[in-house]
Amino acid sequence: MMTVLNCVYHQHNPWLVLAAAVVCIISSWGVIRLHGRARDREGLQRVVWNFLTAILAGSAIWSTHFIALLGFDAGVPVEVDPALTVLSLLVAMVGTSVGFWVTTLGSQRLSPALGGAIVGLAIVAMHYSGMIAYRAKGIISWDWPYVYASILLSVTISAWALHVASCKAGKHAITFASALLVLAIVLLHFTGMTAFRVEPLMIDASVSNPVALQALGFAVAGVAFLIGCAGLASYLIDDGVRADSYRELQKMAMSDGLTGLANRRGFQERLEQEIQIANATGSSFALVGIDLDRFKEINDLRGHAAGDAVLRVLSHRMAATLSSSEFAGRVGGDEFAAIHRMESQASLMDFVGRLEAILNAPIDFDEYHVLPGASIGVAIYPDNAADKATLINNADLAMYRAKADVSRAVCFYQSSMDETVRQRRSLANDLREALERDELTIHYQVQTVISSGEIIGYEALLRWEHPVRGFIPPTEFIGIAEENGLILQLGEWVLRTACMKAATWEPPYKISVNISAVQFAYTNLPDVIAAILKESGLVPERLELELTETTIFADKDRALRILRQIKDLGVNVALDDFGTGYSSLDTLRSFPFDKIKLDRSFIIELESSPQAKAIIRAVLALGRSLSIPVLAEGIETEGQLALLKKEGCDEAQGYLLGRPAALEHILASGQIAIMDRSARASLVPASPAEKIAAGREESKQLADAGSLAERGWSIRRR
C-alpha cells in the first residue's frame, strides 16, 4: 500500500489526481443512486435507468483512469492511441451495463454481489485496455503481483459495494456503497499503475508535450464532471418528480374526488391534529356533524348527476365560508363534518349559523330549485369528550337527535343523549324481534258519516304490547323503525294484514292505512300495493291510503307521480293532518285527493276558539268547492260532533264514535261479520258461468250490509 501511495505522490500530477478524485466521488455517488432507481423499477423504466447508470459508471471509471493517466509521469515521451482510448471507454460502459443488469435480477440472492464482481472486471478491462492505448517510448514491463492485486481489489470491493447498495442496510448504506465504488476504482488504477514499468530507450523527450497532456486531462475532467452532474441532476429531477407525485397522491388519498374537500381519512387526520393542539394549548374546538335530509329523494327524482351537483355546490359554499381556524370534509355519501376552533360561544354560533344558511339555501338544477336541508349535531372537545372516538360518537348522537326532532335543525350534545340512544337501540332490537315473533297487532277505529251515523270504514292502527315495558305508543316506536330501516318491513306487514282481514269483512267496509314518508320514498311502492291487493283479494276501491302533507312536500313532483300510479290501481288516497303542512292549497290543486282528513288540533279548540271554528268552516267550504269529502279526526265530545254536523262536515272519527279496538272486539260488537269462503269467492267470479250466482250473492250481501250498518250505529249510540 505504501508503494502505491508513493506512486501516487511522486509520479502523478497532484492537481489532476485531485480532479480525478472529484470526478470519481461525484460520479460514483450518482451511479449508486441511479442504480437504486433501476432496481426499484420494472420493465422499460428499469432498462432506461440501467442504461443511464451504465453511461455514468463507464464515464466515471474511464474519466478517473484517463485523467490520472494523463497526469502520470512515465519519465519518457508518451502518446495516446485515440481508437484504443475510445475502445476502453466502450469496454467500461458495456461491462458495467452487464454488471448492473445482473445486479437487478432480484430472483437470485447473490445477484448484487455477482453483478458487482462483473462491474469490477469491467473496471479492470477498461484500465488495462486503456494502458494498451498509452504508448510510452521505452521498454514496458509489469510487476505481476501488483497486477493480480489490482484485479482482486477491483472485483472484491465492487462486489461488496453493490451488495451493500442492494441490501439497503441502514440509512448510510448509499454513502458507504459509493465510497466502496470509489475505492475500487482508485485502488485498481493506482495499484495497476504501480505495476507499470518503463525503461527509457532515448533521452530526448521532445516528442512528448506534458503541458498539452495535462491540459487534455483537465478538459476531460471538466467534461466528466459535467457528465457526473448530469447524472446526478437526472436523479434529483426524478426524486423531485417522485416527491411531487407522492404529495399529489397523498393529496388525492386525503381528498374527496367529487367535492375537493377532505375525505374521511383526511378529516380524521386533521381532527387528530386539532386534538393535539387543544391538549397543548388548553383550548377547545367544536366538531360539527352534518347529514343531508333529502339527498336520497334528490337522487331518486333527478338522478345521480343532480345528487353529485348538489354535493359539489354545497362543498364549494362551505369551502368559501371557512376561515383559517375552520375545516370541513365529506365523510360519507351525504355526510359532512366540520371543525371550529372556539374563541367564544358566539363564534361557534356564528359558524353553525353560516353552515345552516348554506345547507338550506336553494340550489338551481335544470330549472328546478332543490332544497337539500340538513341535520346538524355539535360536540365540543374536551367538554363533551376526552378522546377522538367519543367526540365523533357524541357529535353523531347530537346530529341524529336533530334529525329526529323536526322542530330544530341544530342540536348540541348533552350527556342525557347517551342514555336515550341506548334505550332507543334496545327498543329497536325489541321491535325487530317483535316483528319476527308476530307480537304486533292492528287495532281498528271506526269512521262514520256525520249526518246519518252510518259506518263507512275503519282506520288500521298499529299497536305494540311490549312483554316487559307494556304498551308502547306508535309515536315512540314508528320513529325508531324509520331510523333503523324497519319501517318498510313494518309498513308492508300492516298493509298486507289490514287488507287480508278487510277482504273477509261483511259488510265490505273501506280500510284506511297510513303510509309513512320513508315508505313513500320507496320507489316501487305501487308494485307492493298491487301485489298485496292481488294476494288478499281486496277490491282496490276498498283500500284508502293516508299520507301527510310533509310526505308530499319533501319531493312534490315525485310524490305526485307516485300518487297517480297508486290512483291508477283504483286505490283511494286521503290527505292526512290537513292544515298543518306547508302548502295545503297548492297540494290540493296539484292532485285530486279522494278525502281530506282535518287535523285533530283544530277539533280540540272547536268549542272554545272562534279562530278554530273559522278555519274549519273554511276547510269545509274548500272541500265542497273541490268536491272532496272532509273527515274530522279526534271527535271526543257531543258538542264537537254537533258543531261539525251544523257546519256540514261529511265524516268523523274519534273516541266519541269509537276507540281503536282489536278486530275480535269489533266482531263481538256485531259491527262486522266474517264472510264465508263461498261469499268471498263470489265477489271475484272465476268464470262467466258463475256470474249469475255471484250476482245473487252480491245482492244478498248488499242487503245485509245495510242492516248491519244500522245495527252498528245503534250499538254505538247505546
Side-chain angles (χ1 to χ4, degrees):
M1 181 63 70
M2 290 300 298
T3 304
V4 172
L5 292 176
N6 288 332
C7 173
V8 171
Y9 182 78
H10 293 294
Q11 293 182 284
H12 284 76
N13 183 310
W15 295 109
L16 284 177
V17 170
L18 179 60
V22 170
V23 169
C24 187
I25 291 171
I26 293 176
S27 299
S28 295
W29 191 84
V31 165
I32 296 300
R33 290 287 185 176
L34 294 181
H35 171 61
R37 284 287 184 268
R39 193 176 56 251
D40 295 339
R41 298 295 197 273
E42 298 291 340
L44 182 60
Q45 289 192 24
R46 172 173 288 184
V47 173
V48 172
W49 282 107
N50 264 329
F51 174 75
L52 292 176
T53 304
I55 293 295
L56 183 57
S59 301
I61 296 167
W62 180 85
S63 299
T64 301
H65 162 77
F66 193 69
I67 296 168
L69 185 63
L70 292 176
F72 177 72
D73 184 6
V76 297
V78 295
E79 295 178 354
V80 178
D81 188 311
L84 291 177
T85 301
V86 173
L87 178 62
S88 66
L89 174 61
L90 295 177
V91 168
M93 290 184 177
V94 173
T96 55
S97 177
V98 173
F100 285 119
W101 177 77
V102 171
T103 303
T104 57
L105 296 177
S107 60
Q108 301 295 330
R109 293 183 59 186
L110 297 178
S111 294
L114 179 59
I118 295 174
V119 170
L121 290 174
I123 297 173
V124 171
M126 181 282 308
H127 175 81
Y128 288 107
S129 62
M131 291 305 299
I132 295 174
Y134 188 76
R135 304 289 176 82
K137 303 298 183 178
I139 299 173
I140 298 174
S141 62
W142 296 90
D143 189 341
W144 290 105
Y146 280 105
V147 173
Y148 298 145
S150 68
I151 297 173
L152 180 62
L153 288 170
S154 178
V155 172
T156 303
I157 298 176
S158 296
W160 188 11
L162 293 192
H163 173 74
V164 171
S166 299
C167 291
K168 299 181 179 178
K171 62 181 181 179
H172 300 299
I174 297 298
T175 302
F176 185 47
S178 302
L180 288 175
L181 184 59
V182 170
L183 189 61
I185 297 172
V186 171
L187 286 179
L188 179 280
H189 174 80
F190 290 109
T191 305
M193 293 306 295
T194 302
F196 184 68
R197 299 285 188 268
V198 179
E199 293 292 337
L201 292 177
M202 54 182 296
I203 300 176
D204 186 8
S206 60
V207 176
S208 178
N209 189 344
V211 176
L213 293 178
Q214 291 177 9
L216 179 60
F218 283 116
V220 172
V223 174
F225 179 77
L226 292 177
I227 294 175
C229 290
L232 182 60
S234 66
Y235 169 81
L236 295 176
I237 291 172
D238 179 70
D239 203 40
V241 171
R242 291 182 70 183
D244 291 342
S245 299
Y246 175 77
R247 285 191 293 269
E248 186 65 26
L249 289 174
Q250 188 177 38
K251 181 180 177 181
M252 292 173 62
M254 296 292 183
S255 301
D256 177 54
L258 177 65
T259 64
L261 295 177
N263 59 14
R264 179 183 291 272
R265 180 181 174 187
F267 189 84
Q268 294 266 2
E269 185 173 289
R270 177 60 179 262
L271 183 58
E272 291 174 356
Q273 295 174 3
E274 293 294 331
I275 290 175
Q276 293 173 0
I277 294 172
N279 291 338
T281 61
S283 59
S284 61
F285 68 90
L287 175 63
V288 181
I290 303 167
D291 186 75
L292 301 185
D293 291 336
R294 289 182 284 277
F295 184 71
K296 184 179 184 302
E297 288 80 358
I298 293 171
N299 267 338
D300 291 342
L301 178 63
R302 306 296 178 198
H304 291 286
D308 291 347
V310 168
L311 293 176
R312 281 194 294 268
V313 170
L314 292 178
S315 299
H316 293 163
R317 288 177 179 176
M318 278 191 275
T321 194
L322 296 176
S323 67
S324 59
S325 61
E326 298 164 348
F327 189 77
R330 181 190 177 203
V331 296
D334 61 344
E335 296 179 7
F336 295 84
I339 295 171
H340 171 78
R341 292 183 193 170
M342 290 185 59
E343 300 174 359
S344 63
Q345 188 69 23
S347 70
L348 174 59
M349 296 307 297
D350 173 71
F351 178 62
V352 173
R354 280 184 278 136
L355 289 178
E356 190 175 8
I358 288 170
L359 296 166
N360 289 283
I363 298 174
D364 294 331
F365 182 81
D366 288 345
E367 299 180 357
Y368 290 97
H369 290 295
V370 177
L371 296 173
S375 299
I376 299 174
V378 183
I380 299 173
Y381 182 90
D383 298 354
N384 301 143
D387 55 71
K388 183 181 74 171
T390 305
L391 181 66
I392 294 173
N393 180 70
N394 292 346
D396 285 342
L397 290 179
M399 181 186 69
Y400 287 122
R401 172 63 65 85
K403 185 173 285 291
D405 189 346
V406 296
S407 64
R408 56 179 175 173
V410 180
C411 185
F412 288 80
Y413 172 77
Q414 298 173 346
S415 57
S416 60
M417 292 180 181
D418 291 327
E419 181 61 29
T420 302
V421 169
R422 279 193 290 270
Q423 291 180 358
R424 291 177 70 84
R425 287 175 180 171
S426 175
L427 203 60
N429 291 331
D430 292 346
L431 180 59
R432 185 176 287 104
E433 292 177 0
L435 191 58
E436 294 173 353
R437 296 173 183 174
D438 200 22
E439 295 177 356
L440 301 170
T441 59
I442 296 178
H443 285 198
Y444 299 86
Q445 187 173 31
V446 68
Q447 298 173 337
T448 65
V449 177
I450 290 181
S451 60
S452 64
E454 177 188 359
I455 297 175
I456 57 172
Y458 290 84
E459 180 179 0
L461 301 171
L462 184 61
R463 293 292 182 263
W464 182 17
E465 190 72 24
H466 193 279
V468 177
R469 305 183 187 185
F471 175 74
I472 298 178
T475 53
E476 184 174 346
F477 71 80
I478 290 297
I480 294 175
E482 291 179 337
E483 291 175 10
N484 291 273
L486 291 173
I487 192 63
L488 294 178
Q489 186 179 358
L490 196 62
E492 186 173 337
W493 179 84
V494 172
L495 183 60
R496 176 175 282 103
T497 303
C499 290
M500 296 292 287
K501 296 294 184 182
T504 67
W505 292 351
E506 183 180 357
Y509 294 129
K510 282 186 177 182
I511 180 70
S512 296
V513 180
N514 288 281
I515 299 295
S516 75
V518 177
Q519 274 183 280
F520 196 73
Y522 189 48
T523 54
N524 86 341
L525 177 63
D527 296 334
V528 172
I529 296 171
I532 289 175
L533 289 173
K534 182 177 180 180
E535 179 184 348
S536 65
L538 184 71
V539 178
E541 289 74 13
R542 291 182 57 197
L543 175 62
E544 184 173 82
L545 301 180
E546 298 183 6
L547 299 95
T548 62
E549 289 183 282
T550 54
T551 300
I552 298 171
F553 185 78
D555 193 336
K556 184 177 176 182
D557 293 338
R558 177 185 176 278
L560 296 181
R561 186 175 69 252
I562 297 297
L563 285 175
R564 291 188 180 95
Q565 293 177 12
I566 294 174
K567 284 284 290 181
D568 290 342
L569 297 174
V571 175
N572 297 296
V573 179
L575 183 60
D576 199 10
D577 298 337
F578 185 79
T580 61
Y582 296 95
S583 54
S584 303
L585 297 179
D586 182 61
T587 302
L588 290 174
R589 179 188 62 81
S590 302
F591 185 81
F593 287 91
D594 299 292
K595 185 180 294 183
I596 296 173
K597 297 193 72 174
L598 188 61
D599 189 71
R600 67 186 305 273
S601 61
F602 299 108
I603 306 303
I604 294 174
E605 301 178 356
L606 177 60
E607 296 178 273
S608 59
S609 171
Q611 291 83 2
K613 186 183 296 184
I615 292 174
I616 291 173
R617 185 178 293 121
V619 171
L620 294 175
L622 179 64
R624 284 191 294 270
S625 65
L626 296 175
S627 300
I628 302 176
V630 177
L631 183 148
E633 294 184 288
I635 309 301
E636 297 182 359
T637 67
E638 293 285 357
Q640 292 171 348
L641 183 64
L643 285 173
L644 288 170
K645 184 175 182 179
K646 180 180 178 181
E647 296 296 336
C649 185
D650 302 288
E651 301 167 5
Q653 175 181 344
Y655 285 174
L656 177 68
L657 308 176
R659 289 178 174 271
L663 183 59
E664 293 77 10
H665 296 149
I666 298 175
L667 291 173
S669 71
Q671 293 179 0
I672 295 177
I674 299 298
M675 194 182 305
D676 59 35
R677 290 176 177 268
S678 60
R680 290 184 62 196
S682 68
L683 294 178
V684 184
S687 64
E690 297 176 341
K691 287 184 177 180
I692 297 177
R696 293 172 180 172
E697 189 65 22
E698 288 178 6
S699 298
K700 180 178 180 299
Q701 291 171 4
L702 292 175
D704 292 341
S707 61
L708 287 172
E710 293 175 1
R711 192 196 316 170
W713 174 255
S714 63
I715 289 173
R716 181 194 60 73
R717 295 293 290 175
R718 287 199 297 270

